[in-house]
């Protein structure tokens, strides 16, 4: 169990300042108080007072997503959710679920039996068993990156792919690129369809050419680069958008293997901005999803549903982080 | 100034129970406590303790929308916003603005001079002066029914027109209608374009015919019926969706004048569910926007922006309220 001293050490402030933050004293700034509370959540610090309170129970279900260390995609999402929930005295459980688990446990039954009043689902795919059960559940449920139609108990949160991909296309055009490809994620996913449409809309809006061949699916694995990079380069593509940073790292390696320099010959853009992406060679230009904010937003949406505000979707702004994997196009030519 | 007795009378409970609700006592239910607080806000009750607190100031700007009485569209939106804001100790000002006001006052300057840390804008149209200023403002700003691209300080909230209009089309189809028209709102509005697209998508998804003539603009005025009803009926339309309840009431009156019965000859559906719509003859079937919830959601979004969570949009579920203005189609025929 973390102590006040641990929080003080992490923030580099005195124990008495931490105390003030935890107790809501008025002589420290609001932003410092928030930092104290956020760090308390991250380190798992709880006060006697908190432990004594009757708490409502929420569950975060994680399917097919890593979240154990700060480098992994799910870590900050879960942390953000817990930080936002801290102020409202909810008790949070994180439960990994497999397809097998879903096929043997009915969602509503599992929630009721465990006394959960709401849930946040991350990493679920369209074919998951529970996805069909969300059509009819009465239990407040928020899905990251999945949308359920017409059920007022269920809400969707995600990052706005349309703005993110348009930002990336504009950035590339400003450096003379017109032959831009998209390596998408998995086929069986709402987000992949959204990003595919965002690419089509963006390319169309800016008068650029594209085809089925310029928007292949890469299933979020680095190895996808092997299947697609050669074909894309032979078509004269000068810039490749990838739907996660891992695929972008694979594309950079594959380009190098084939004697193409990044960004001199080919520009590469990722999606997510994982902590490691700034350390790639070259450091990766990427469309940032703020995962801490996604987690907070997941909690706010769930809290709204629990309070009978039937939000159907909440979208967050992405942010294009420009590093060194994008540069001026070698060939400037508008015909694809 | 309202007293505790006023709150007790309104809710039909004792003064001591009101006291408990205001003071957060643990021996009354959470829902009763919420009802006490919500009523306190509605009646304008404040405690000494509340008045003593340093409060952050927010402004609700109202352009082209009535909000003075409970029958008017804006009343519950503002009330819902105030009720949600109550718990966070914000001070709320409501300021009506005209086009002239906007052309003489710069938005950011006005906000800073008055010490507002955020704003909620209701009733604004695309051509309003301030709309272009929202592209660049740094001040947390939430717009009802208007979307600003790529500015992380600004967020959009609204009711999901796609689900609402699809619900209405499905309801009509179940009663044998296939010749369905949409009388839209004003041309110069994002919401009108969204609802036009929702009508096109819904009709297409269900294999129904439509044309430019079946989706005229009615500018939200009851008189629009005069311009369109005769033409729609002569085309064999058997059901008319209207983009607010006022136009629906005009359509019902115009049908009657022309010897058509509602719903025996023509079904009519409104949008909004104003309090008066249940009192029309026949009582109006309508796509409900829960305005109290819209207002609460407006506050939650603004609160998120102020706390650096850059939500770009939040959509709420609509609800189809079925009353007596829709019925079985007289002519069941799929060719338009």
């Amino acid at each position: 169990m973390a102590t006040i001293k641990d929080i003080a050490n992490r923030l580099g402030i005195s124990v008495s300042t931490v105390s003030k933050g935890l107790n809501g004293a008025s002589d420290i700034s609001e932003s410092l108080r928030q930092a104290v509370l956020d760090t308390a959540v991250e380190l798992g610090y709880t006060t006697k007072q908190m432990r004594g309170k009757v708490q409502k129970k929420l569950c975060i279900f994680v399917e097919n997503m890593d979240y154990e260390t700060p480098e992994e995609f799910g870590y900050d999402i879960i942390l953000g959710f817990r930080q936002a929930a801290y102020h409202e005295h909810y008790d949070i459980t994180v439960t990994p679920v497999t397809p097998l688990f879903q096929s043997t446990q009915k969602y509503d039954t599992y929630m009721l039996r465990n006394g959960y009043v709401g849930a946040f689902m991350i990493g679920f795919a369209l074919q998951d068993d529970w996805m069909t059960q969300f059509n009819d559940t009465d239990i407040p449920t928020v899905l990251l990156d999945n949308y359920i139609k017409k059920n007022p108990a269920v809400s969707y949160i995600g990052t706005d792919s349309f703005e993110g991909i348009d930002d990336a296309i504009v950035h590339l055009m400003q450096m003379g690129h017109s032959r831009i490809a998209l390596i998408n994620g998995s086929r069986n996913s709402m987000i992949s369809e959204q990003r595919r449409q965002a690419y089509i809309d963006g390319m169309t809006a800016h008068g650029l050419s594209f085809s089925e061949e310029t928007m292949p699916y890469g299933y979020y694995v680095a190895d996808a680069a092997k299947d697609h990079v050669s074909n894309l380069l032979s078509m004269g593509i000068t810039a490749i958008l990838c739907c996660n940073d891992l695929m972008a790292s694979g594309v950079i390696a594959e380009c190098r293997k084939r004697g193409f320099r990044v960004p001199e010959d080919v520009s590469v853009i990722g999606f997510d901005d994982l902590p490691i992406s700034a350390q790639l060679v070259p450091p990766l230009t990427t469309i940032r999803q703020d995962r801490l904010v996604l987690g907070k937003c997941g909690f706010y949406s769930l809290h709204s549903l629990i309070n009978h505000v039937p939000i159907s979707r909440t979208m967050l702004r992405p942010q294009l982080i420009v590093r060194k994997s994008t540069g001026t196009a070698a060939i400037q030519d508008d015909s694809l």
Side-chain angles (χ1 to χ4, degrees), chain A residues 164 167-172 269-270 285-288 318-322:
Chain A
D167 285 346
I169 292 172
V170 168
H171 166 65
L172 291 168
I269 299 185
T285 295
T286 186
I287 299 163
R288 179 158 210 246
Q319 192 187 356
L320 184 70
I321 306 293
V322 177

Side-chain angles (χ1 to χ4, degrees), chain A residues 268-323:
Chain A
V268 178
I269 299 185
F271 210 114
D272 291 343
D273 195 26
L274 289 182
I276 202 167
S277 303
Q279 314 307 326
L280 293 175
V281 180
L284 189 65
T285 295
T286 186
I287 299 163
R288 179 158 210 246
Q289 299 202 66
D290 188 324
R291 291 176 297 285
L292 208 61
V293 160
L294 272 175
K296 288 183 184 183
C297 190
F299 172 75
Y300 293 143
S301 291
L302 188 52
H303 190 53
S304 295
L305 293 181
I306 290 169
N307 287 295
H308 311 292
V309 174
I311 292 171
S312 69
R313 71 174 67 207
T314 310
M315 305 300 294
L316 287 161
R317 307 267 181 190
Q319 192 187 356
L320 184 70
I321 306 293
V322 177
R323 299 198 182 97

Side-chain angles (χ1 to χ4, degrees), chain A residues 52 54 75 77 91 120 158 174 224 226 243 277 280 310 322 329:
Chain A
V54 177
Y75 182 87
I77 297 175
D91 180 59
F120 182 39
Q174 285 167 349
K226 290 205 183 70
C243 281
S277 303
L280 293 175
V322 177

